[in-house]
Amino acid sequence: MDAAPAVLEARNLRVGFRIPGGTMRAVDGVSFALRQGETLGLVGESGSGKTMTSLALLRLLESPPAELAAEAILFEGRDLLRLSEGAMADLRGARLSMIFQEPMTSLNPLMAIGRQIDEPLVTHLGLSARAARARTLDLLARVGIARPEQAVRAYPHQLSGGMRQRVMIAIALACRPAVLIADEPTTALDVTVQAQILALLRTLQEEMGTAILLITHDLAVIAETAHRVAVMYAGRIVETGPVAALFARPLHPYTEGLLRSIPRISRVREATLPEIPGVVPAPGQLPAGCAFAARCGFADDACHATRPVLTPSGEGREVACWKPRHG
Amino acid sequence: MLSYVGRRVLQSVPLLIGVSIIGFALMHLAPGGPLAVYTLNPTITNQDIERIRIVLGLDQPVHIQYFKWASGMATGNWGYTFFGGRPVLGVILERMPATFLLMGSALSLAILIGCTIGVLGAVRRYSVFDMMATSGAMVALSFPTFWFGLMAIYLFAIKLGWLPSGGMYELGEEDNLLDLVRHLILPCLVLALVITAVWSRYTRSAFLEVMHQDYMRTAKAKGLRAPARLLRHALPNALKPLIALLGIELPALFSGALVTETIFGWPGMGRLFVDALNMKEYPVLMGMIMFTALFVIVGNLVADILIALLDPRVRLS
């Protein structure tokens, strides 16, 4: 797995919003590499900048008000920031796809779902209407929708949330993209449906060799699905590494806190669930030092004074902390 | 779908009865009456006036007059004009083509221009064009239609002399299409102006609403380019409130046509209504009120059916 080359690489990605009196940084220098065929989990609390990162990668943020900057966003050897809007449109949905958190509202309510899946096939692969429809029927069967011939004529309001997310996956994977960005794909779904959707993503990934950037706040989803994980805090990545090692021995106090706050049946005797005190600092109000220092039990003057950068710590892991745990 | 249409048609019957009662009552509450014009005529005696009153049935109590009129309507008899004794329906239908020509051309023009301005304003929100369109619409909505009409006549007919100031034809040119178009231009533009302003505002907000929906982001993430996103995904969704608006705006269109026809001497139903109002031609007034009400009800029904055809959530539920 480590030998696989990176298919999508973000270098020092920044997203800001212009507000009266300055710029609000939502993503503050995020760098990561997604390798061929792997699943990289991007995890963090609400407001940590995960969704902004994902939308920025596809250049889906509306600008203005959003301002996107990076050293580079390399996809299959090309810098996405240097592409024209037309060239970017040719990549979206073809080589680089995305599914969203809200399957209930992400489909056009006035269009039968068959036509919505046909669209990328006709647009990107130049298929005839008939050939596209044949592929659409096959795709619907592959994402686990029974009786595709009837399903193509159904409208979104006639489908359940899980079914709609399956349709979204069919649309996103229609052209066999190299990368799928999945932004909280299971958050709006029932727990049993969540597991089905994650299993489906795994199966299709194995079939098509698609690399997945899985964005979630749910560590259980990461544990179940991802190969590697990057933990985001206040617009920055604070720790990254292989899932098993990171879950077993978290290095950053924030990661440790996140893992400790997962409810476990084996811990029933504990009276209260451990939580991380305080809240994520608002963008624009970040301290000079480590953004987590104010909530960290181990912070000292150095932590408050200087911002730590992501530093390799062996076994393919990196951490941005002056006082890493298990160091 | 058929049962839906049938239900809507049945629902409109009590509505029409209500409209007719209110219209009839207001008409009779207004001072004067159809016979008032005779009182100043020295050759007509009071006995003559009394005789005319009895012949026209105006001596009977108002509710009896209403029931006589209503029972006639129920059998398709719209009554006869007081002056001339011509069938009311015939008089109205005679004026219909002129009004529909004016309303149809003004509405088409207004929708075409208004929707284009609205879509461009939504796509380029807060641009110079958008600001100008917004303030232009506010100006157009702030002045009364008759003022624009008078200004148009003053400028284009009197000062510049480019276009005729009123009427529908020059004498002896009844079959000349070019002459008709020349007469149509000014009233059509004046009537279209306010409707254009309304439509550009509604189209802009309808498109803005739609363009921030999640499915528009999905369309972009699919790799569709702007024209395909606007035409295939934004337009049908934005069209829904606009079709409903078309039904609701019909009465405003009628009253706008009434003012415009009066200013430009356009021989349509609006003129007929104003003339009938001055003469207290009760049968014609009632006929006009019922005709307009019917037209608005049918217009709204058509709008609702169009929406059902567009939106599966309405159609299939």
Side-chain angles (χ1 to χ4, degrees):
Chain A
M1 183 59 63
D2 282 342
V7 60
L8 176 67
E9 187 181 350
R11 288 186 192 156
N12 196 14
L13 176 71
R14 283 152 293 158
V15 179
F17 289 89
R18 203 175 277 172
I19 50 167
T23 303
M24 194 186 82
R25 269 277 156 79
V27 179
D28 192 12
V30 162
S31 302
F32 63 86
L34 178 66
R35 297 169 194 148
Q36 247 169 35
E38 81 165 341
T39 298
L40 173 64
L42 195 57
V43 68
E45 291 172 75
S46 309
S48 59
K50 330 179 282 285
T51 296
M52 286 302 149
T53 304
S54 65
L55 291 172
L57 292 171
L58 254 81
R59 281 173 45 188
L60 286 176
L61 288 169
E62 237 177 277
S63 176
E67 285 171 9
L68 170 62
E71 197 180 305
I73 303 174
L74 294 173
F75 175 71
E76 295 187 319
R78 290 202 281 175
D79 187 352
L80 296 183
L81 287 177
R82 292 175 193 278
L83 293 183
S84 67
E85 181 50 39
M88 196 65 214
D90 288 339
L91 283 181
R92 286 190 201 113
R95 303 294 306 149
L96 186 57
S97 289
M98 183 156 181
I99 55 176
F100 302 97
Q101 180 170 354
E102 285 299 333
M104 309 309 278
T105 53
S106 290
L107 292 164
N108 185 340
L110 305 189
M111 205 187 258
I113 62 155
R115 276 186 64 205
Q116 304 198 44
I117 306 174
D118 293 344
E119 262 189 327
L121 294 166
V122 173
T123 306
H124 294 300
L125 306 182
L127 295 185
S128 67
R130 180 182 293 233
R133 183 46 57 92
R135 282 281 283 274
T136 295
L137 291 171
D138 176 52
L139 276 162
L140 281 172
R142 289 229 249 169
V143 297
I145 287 180
R147 288 190 296 257
E149 292 81 5
Q150 288 170 25
V152 286
R153 286 194 300 272
Y155 287 90
H157 75 279
Q158 295 167 312
L159 306 179
S160 67
M163 293 271 272
R164 289 189 215 186
Q165 198 59 296
R166 287 173 194 269
V167 171
M168 285 298 291
I169 292 171
I171 292 172
L173 297 182
C175 302
R176 291 179 162 264
V179 169
L180 172 69
I181 299 173
D183 182 11
E184 303 266 9
T186 58
T187 305
L189 305 175
D190 292 343
V191 178
T192 47
V193 182
Q194 278 186 19
Q196 291 169 9
I197 294 291
L198 292 174
L200 174 66
L201 282 175
R202 266 199 308 272
T203 310
L204 292 171
Q205 177 177 41
E206 277 162 26
E207 279 175 37
M208 299 185 179
T210 304
I212 298 178
L213 180 63
L214 181 69
I215 289 147
T216 180
H217 67 280
D218 189 343
L219 288 166
V221 168
I222 297 282
E224 208 173 318
T225 317
H227 303 110
R228 289 191 306 132
V229 57
V231 181
M232 271 190 93
Y233 185 79
R236 297 169 190 151
I237 292 178
V238 293
E239 179 170 7
T240 171
V243 168
L246 187 139
F247 273 47
R249 288 192 311 118
L251 296 177
H252 199 285
Y254 176 63
T255 315
E256 189 181 52
L258 278 184
L259 289 167
R260 273 163 52 84
S261 57
I262 301 175
R264 286 205 177 84
I265 293 176
S266 59
R267 280 206 310 228
V268 282
R269 265 176 289 171
E270 274 181 64
T272 53
L273 190 64
E275 56 173 322
I276 305 173
V279 290
V280 185
Q285 291 170 9
L286 290 182
C290 174
F292 187 62
R295 300 171 73 186
C296 182
F298 310 98
D300 61 12
D301 292 349
C303 297
H304 287 285
T306 330
R307 179 181 155 189
V309 293
L310 218 48
T311 320
S313 62
E315 302 171 356
R317 302 181 63 173
E318 289 177 303
V319 64
C321 181
W322 296 122
K323 309 189 127 201
R325 317 296 303 140
H326 304 285
Chain B
M1 194 73 195
L2 267 177
S3 73
Y4 171 74
V5 174
R7 208 165 59 232
R8 285 292 302 270
V9 170
L10 284 180
Q11 276 171 0
S12 64
V13 172
L15 191 64
L16 281 173
I17 292 174
V19 167
S20 71
I21 291 175
I22 294 171
F24 210 85
L26 282 176
M27 208 168 60
H28 281 269
L29 283 171
L35 304 176
V37 284
Y38 296 126
T39 53
L40 296 176
N41 190 334
T43 61
I44 294 180
T45 61
N46 277 343
Q47 285 88 335
D48 290 335
I49 291 176
E50 269 320 300
R51 220 172 42 243
I52 298 171
R53 193 190 301 280
I54 291 164
V55 168
L56 295 180
L58 293 170
D59 57 327
Q60 289 164 4
V62 172
H63 63 277
I64 301 292
Q65 288 186 45
Y66 175 77
F67 283 120
K68 283 194 168 173
W69 172 84
S71 54
M73 279 302 280
T75 59
N77 178 6
W78 291 53
Y80 298 90
T81 63
F82 286 164
F83 303 94
R86 302 180 56 207
V88 167
L89 187 61
V91 172
I92 292 174
L93 291 181
E94 188 180 276
R95 300 293 194 97
M96 201 179 68
T99 290
F100 278 19
L101 176 66
L102 177 62
M103 277 188 358
S105 56
L107 190 64
S108 316
L109 190 72
I111 290 177
L112 197 70
I113 299 175
C115 284
T116 311
I117 293 175
V119 171
L120 289 177
V123 173
R124 308 222 178 290
R125 182 149 72 136
Y126 303 138
S127 64
V128 176
F129 173 83
D130 185 34
M131 305 276 188
M132 278 169 57
T134 301
S135 17
M138 286 305 144
V139 171
L141 287 171
S142 306
F143 287 91
T145 308
F146 75 83
W147 186 83
F148 281 117
L150 294 176
M151 286 303 117
I153 291 172
Y154 178 72
L155 187 64
F156 294 105
I158 296 172
K159 280 286 163 192
L160 297 170
W162 292 351
L163 293 163
S165 64
M168 199 168 168
Y169 300 103
E170 296 300 325
L171 218 57
E173 300 278 354
E174 280 80 1
D175 295 325
N176 187 340
L177 190 68
L178 202 70
D179 185 58
L180 174 65
V181 171
R182 270 167 47 81
H183 281 81
L184 181 61
I185 290 174
L186 279 188
C188 172
L189 286 181
V190 167
L191 182 56
L193 187 67
V194 176
I195 315 170
T196 305
V198 172
W199 274 82
S200 70
R201 301 302 298 155
Y202 278 114
T203 308
R204 181 178 179 273
S205 55
F207 262 82
L208 278 180
E209 167 94 30
V210 164
M211 284 196 314
H212 288 98
Q213 297 292 319
D214 286 349
Y215 53 77
M216 291 306 294
R217 192 179 57 189
T218 303
K220 193 169 185 184
K222 273 180 182 179
L224 300 183
R225 295 179 185 225
R229 294 201 303 268
L230 276 178
L231 283 177
R232 277 203 296 254
H233 291 277
L235 184 66
N237 281 287
L239 222 47
K240 252 180 53 187
L242 293 179
I243 291 172
L245 174 72
L246 191 61
I248 293 166
E249 281 282 305
L250 276 179
L253 184 63
F254 259 106
S255 56
L258 191 143
V259 173
T260 311
E261 285 182 6
T262 308
I263 287 171
F264 286 95
W266 190 261
M269 297 193 296
R271 270 282 299 288
L272 177 68
F273 187 77
V274 173
D275 291 345
L277 202 60
N278 289 332
M279 305 274 284
K280 297 290 190 302
E281 266 278 18
Y282 290 163
V284 178
L285 287 177
M286 281 313 292
M288 283 294 302
I289 289 169
M290 296 316 288
F291 186 88
T292 316
L294 211 59
F295 186 74
V296 170
I297 288 170
V298 170
N300 276 292
L301 182 62
V302 170
D304 286 346
I305 291 171
L306 283 177
I307 288 170
L309 289 177
L310 196 64
D311 192 342
R313 286 166 297 184
V314 178
R315 183 172 68 236
L316 301 175
S317 65

